[in-house]
């Protein structure tokens, strides 16, 4: 079995069209591993983006492998192989043998590893300075207060869904796949902060506010669209497509915020329109029905009677009398 390390990128290796600088700003974590005859390594695939770095490297150790503290926060996803043991001095600080679990190794922390049977993992690396800048710009978090939690072999549903996609993209040499991986940096940085830092609560609250803001915008946009196009038979699917939102999500949000389903809202507004026309014009009931978006006059009469308790024709007579 092998150890698949997604960061073994040498300083002068460029693996994307954006390519990293020929001389990195800092020494990377894996660059400082103490290498000896007990380490077996085979570089498979790599990616270097503006903020995110990822490699797939098959790697195995027979004895413990020491590493010097680096500047990268490392998110590890255990895909297969045997057990991985981590040490600090002589003390075992964690063991991972369960597949589909994740480990967060904070920057500036020395460690030693024993991988006797080899393991298959995905590593995603983000520079400590980059993560602090992201935390400050996105969530207004003080750089000096940010701390990443050292966690090993935890269940992480987010990584269980993301890791296969990242691995799939790593296998492609197409430029657009590199752009996609580069676009993952904010997603992964946000996840690191949300799940593995001391600012988890702040991130969750900020993201909840952002979701509520987007949700209200979607509901308001849907309501405006329905009012502007009341004479059309817009479906939730058509509205959702124009607003770039999932139809069932839009329907749930609309019901929650407005208190009516989209269909009920449309019927209510159409009936209100008919009522205004009955008061203020001599337009025929047939024309009023079509202008309001009803398929015909009987359709309008049924809906109007349901809402108002009286037919539109009789209501017009009452209003005129």
């Amino acid at each position: 079995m092998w150890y698949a390390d997604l960061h073994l990128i040498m300083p002068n290796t460029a693996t994307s069209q954006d390519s990293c600088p020929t001389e990195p700003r800092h020494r990377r974590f894996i660059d400082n591993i103490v290498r000896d005859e007990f380490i077996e390594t085979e570089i498979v695939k790599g990616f270097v983006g503006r903020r995110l770095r990822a490699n797939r490297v098959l790697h195995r150790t027979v004895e413990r492998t020491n590493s010097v503290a680096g500047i990268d926060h490392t998110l590890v996803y255990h895909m297969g192989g045997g057990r991985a043991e981590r040490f600090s001095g002589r003390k075992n600080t964690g063991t991972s043998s369960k597949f589909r679990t994740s480990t967060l190794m904070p920057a500036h922390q020395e460690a030693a590893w024993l991988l006797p049977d080899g393991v298959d993992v995905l590593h995603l690396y983000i520079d400590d300075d980059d993560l602090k800048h992201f935390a400050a710009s996105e969530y207004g978090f003080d750089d000096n207060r940010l701390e990443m939690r050292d966690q090993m072999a935890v269940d992480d549903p987010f990584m269980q869904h993301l890791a296969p996609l990242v691995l799939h993209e790593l296998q492609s040499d197409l430029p657009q796949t590199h752009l996609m991986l580069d676009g993952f940096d904010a997603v992964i940085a946000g996840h690191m902060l949300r799940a593995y830092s001391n600012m988890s609560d702040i991130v969750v609250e900020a993201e909840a506010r952002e979701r509520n803001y987007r949700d209200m915008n979607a509901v308001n946009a849907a309501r405006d669209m329905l009012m502007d196009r009341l004479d059309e038979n817009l479906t939730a699917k058509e509205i959702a497509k124009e607003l770039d939102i999932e139809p069932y999500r839009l329907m749930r949000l609309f019901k929650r915020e407005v208190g009516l389903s989209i269909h009920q809202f449309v019927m209510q507004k159409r009936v209100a329109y008919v009522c205004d026309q009955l008061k203020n014009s001599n337009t025929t009931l047939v024309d009023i029905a079509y202008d309001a978006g009803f398929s015909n006059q009987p359709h309008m009469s049924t809906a109007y009677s349901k809402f108002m308790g009286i037919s539109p024709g009789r209501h017009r007579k009452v209003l005129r009398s």
Side-chain angles (χ1 to χ4, degrees):
M1 299 296 295
W2 290 95
Y3 176 86
D5 177 14
L6 284 130
H7 181 65
L8 290 177
I9 298 180
M10 296 302 101
N12 294 320
T13 300
T15 56
S16 74
Q17 288 193 339
D18 293 334
S19 74
C20 61
T22 55
E23 292 297 331
R25 291 176 300 163
H26 307 279
R27 293 288 290 173
R28 298 293 170 196
F29 181 83
I30 297 298
D31 294 342
N32 292 322
I33 277 186
V34 179
R35 304 179 183 280
D36 55 31
E37 65 273 19
F38 300 112
I39 304 175
E40 298 175 5
T41 300
E42 177 190 349
I43 297 178
V44 179
K45 283 288 182 179
F47 168 78
V48 178
R50 290 186 296 270
R51 181 160 42 198
L52 175 70
R53 288 169 300 283
N55 270 25
R56 186 170 189 175
V57 178
L58 302 181
H59 186 74
R60 178 176 180 269
T61 68
V62 180
E63 292 190 358
R64 283 199 295 177
T65 302
N66 298 314
S67 58
V68 179
I71 64 168
D72 293 315
H73 299 291
T74 311
L75 184 56
V76 187
Y77 183 67
H78 193 170
M79 299 180 294
R83 77 182 189 278
E85 297 183 54
R86 186 157 49 131
F87 298 85
S88 177
R90 294 179 177 272
K91 182 180 179 181
N92 183 313
T93 58
T95 299
S96 173
S97 58
K98 182 182 177 183
F99 300 161
R100 294 170 62 80
T101 59
S102 297
T103 293
L104 192 284
M105 296 187 297
H108 311 301
Q109 178 173 290
E110 295 184 3
W113 291 88
L114 178 61
L115 313 169
D117 303 313
V119 293
D120 187 7
V121 298
L122 167 66
H123 280 189
L124 301 171
Y125 289 72
I126 294 183
D127 181 289
D128 181 44
D129 288 340
D130 287 340
L131 191 63
K132 287 179 177 178
H133 177 74
F134 180 84
S137 61
E138 293 295 319
Y139 304 109
F141 199 74
D142 185 351
D143 291 359
N144 296 324
R145 293 174 54 202
L146 177 62
E147 296 178 5
M148 300 303 294
R149 300 191 182 107
D150 186 342
Q151 299 185 63
M152 187 166 183
V154 299
D155 288 326
D156 186 341
F158 177 89
M159 283 299 295
Q160 291 172 9
H161 288 89
L162 183 67
L165 179 58
V166 173
L167 288 169
H168 178 269
E169 295 302 320
L170 278 173
Q171 301 306 310
S172 174
D173 292 324
L174 297 175
Q176 56 265 35
T177 62
H178 291 159
L179 290 174
M180 178 178 289
L181 285 170
D182 215 15
F184 284 155
D185 62 352
V187 174
I188 294 170
H191 179 64
M192 284 186 176
L193 296 173
R194 185 190 315 112
Y196 300 98
S197 81
N198 63 330
M199 62 176 290
S200 298
D201 292 342
I202 294 176
V203 174
V204 171
E205 290 173 4
E207 291 179 344
R209 289 195 299 270
E210 177 64 21
R211 282 195 301 272
N212 289 336
Y213 176 77
R214 291 196 303 266
D215 290 348
M216 286 304 303
N217 280 348
V219 170
N220 290 334
R223 185 160 42 191
D224 292 343
M225 188 182 301
L226 290 168
M227 291 298 297
D228 292 341
R229 300 162 63 179
L230 197 59
D231 59 334
E232 301 180 33
N233 289 310
L234 291 174
T235 65
K237 185 176 181 179
E238 291 170 335
I239 298 171
K241 183 177 181 180
E242 290 198 33
L243 299 180
D244 193 23
I245 187 174
E246 199 271 332
Y248 290 105
R249 175 168 174 76
L250 175 62
M251 288 189 285
R252 290 193 299 271
L253 291 173
F254 198 94
K255 176 73 173 179
R256 185 188 74 190
E257 299 299 330
V258 180
L260 299 169
S261 69
I262 290 177
H263 176 72
Q264 290 171 332
F265 177 82
V266 169
M267 288 297 105
Q268 185 185 78
K269 297 306 178 183
R270 284 178 175 175
V271 167
Y273 173 85
V274 172
C275 187
D276 287 340
Q277 292 300 304
L278 294 178
K279 296 177 185 176
N280 304 318
S281 76
N282 293 317
T283 308
T284 65
L285 294 181
V286 172
D287 288 339
I288 292 175
Y290 286 125
D291 290 343
F294 292 105
S295 56
N296 49 49
Q297 182 181 339
H299 183 203
M300 177 187 72
S301 297
T302 300
Y304 197 89
S305 298
K306 181 178 179 180
F307 275 85
M308 303 295 291
I310 187 173
S311 71
R314 181 172 296 180
H315 197 192
R316 169 173 269 182
K317 291 180 181 179
V318 171
L319 293 171
R320 287 179 174 178
S321 65

